[in-house]
Amino acid sequence: MGLTLYFLRHGETPYSQTGRYCGEIDAELTPEGHQMAAAFAAAYSSVSWDAVYVSPMKRTIATAAPLCQAVGLEMQLRDGLKEIRYGKWEDQSPEFVKEHYLEDYIRWMTEPAWNPPTGGETAVEIASRASLVVAEIEEKYPTGTVLLVSHKATIRILLCTLLGIDLGRYRDRLNAYAGSVSIVKFGDHGPMLEVLGDRTYMGDLRHRTGT
């Protein structure tokens, strides 16, 4: 048996409800976001976890906390798991960005692998820093079961990197709604996607709208 890596996106925040850009903003979970975190802990505390790696943001820490408390593991914080830096787009709506940064927005929508939000970060840069964390996990837990708690863009970019999907298509090929779980198993032929974006564990909360 090789490594099994669970990717958990943080629970709902006000930004995942409105669709405004939130990367470096240290947003809190909504009450429903905290319920998602508690539901994940209830559903997955029976898994034999070896480690929990977490982006050092309030929303990811709060999402990981119930599971860590339930199983007695200390979360390992890694800057490489942070969300995309949106630069001048932080806290703005897509409509505002299209009005004030149209050329950058078009380039980013067309080819985000190499084109960043204005003053922000490309998908290639995110893949470079986040992949170092996955490499660390592979080295330390080659036959383990590890939880990685991160963000929407970062998780999708990591999945594309592992599965050989063009980074420029990360928004077009994969989704990761608030609180969703994806599972990748590492075998003799490389990473295998077993589960993508599952939210059934959270009951009626899975019907919450938002990005």
Side-chain angles (χ1 to χ4, degrees):
M1 294 293 291
L3 169 67
T4 300
L5 190 53
Y6 286 68
F7 295 82
L8 173 63
R9 185 188 170 196
H10 62 77
E12 181 187 279
T13 71
Y15 288 89
S16 66
Q17 279 290 288
T18 64
R20 297 172 77 90
Y21 294 112
C22 174
E24 293 184 292
I25 295 172
D26 208 3
E28 304 272 5
L29 297 182
T30 63
E32 290 81 7
H34 284 287
Q35 291 173 31
M36 291 176 181
F40 178 83
Y44 287 92
S45 60
S46 61
V47 174
S48 297
W49 299 106
D50 290 286
V52 179
Y53 281 72
V54 183
S55 162
M57 306 299 284
K58 291 178 181 177
R59 55 194 183 273
T60 39
I61 290 172
T63 300
L67 186 279
C68 287
Q69 292 165 6
V71 302
L73 279 176
E74 183 176 348
M75 62 183 77
Q76 302 187 48
L77 304 181
R78 296 292 185 274
D79 284 346
L81 299 179
K82 286 183 177 181
E83 180 61 302
I84 178 176
R85 289 186 290 103
Y86 283 107
K88 294 183 178 179
W89 300 4
E90 293 278 350
D91 202 26
Q92 304 298 338
S93 68
E95 291 74 23
F96 177 92
V97 169
K98 282 186 280 188
E99 180 180 351
H100 293 85
Y101 304 99
L102 182 59
E103 290 186 7
D104 285 351
Y105 181 78
I106 291 172
R107 283 192 289 267
W108 183 68
M109 290 298 293
T110 303
E111 181 47 85
W114 299 99
N115 293 288
T118 309
E121 196 174 18
T122 67
V124 168
E125 291 171 321
I126 297 163
S128 296
R129 60 170 167 80
S131 293
L132 292 176
V133 182
V134 174
E136 176 189 342
I137 293 170
E138 288 187 79
E139 181 178 357
K140 288 185 176 180
Y141 308 99
T143 59
T145 301
V146 176
L147 176 64
L148 187 155
V149 187
S150 188
H151 307 265
K152 185 177 184 179
T154 304
I155 288 174
R156 291 188 291 174
I157 289 166
L158 273 175
L159 290 174
C160 284
T161 302
L162 291 171
L163 301 173
I165 299 171
D166 179 2
L167 286 180
R169 304 277 68 79
Y170 79 87
R171 289 194 307 266
D172 304 326
R173 299 292 181 263
L174 304 170
N175 210 340
Y177 289 107
S180 63
V181 181
S182 298
I183 304 173
V184 172
K185 291 187 177 181
F186 293 72
D188 293 338
H189 302 288
M192 169 70 77
L193 181 65
E194 297 280 339
V195 175
L196 177 64
D198 180 60
R199 301 208 304 173
T200 55
Y201 74 87
M202 63 176 71
D204 289 343
L205 284 170
R206 70 185 185 276
H207 301 302
R208 293 281 294 177
T209 58
T211 60

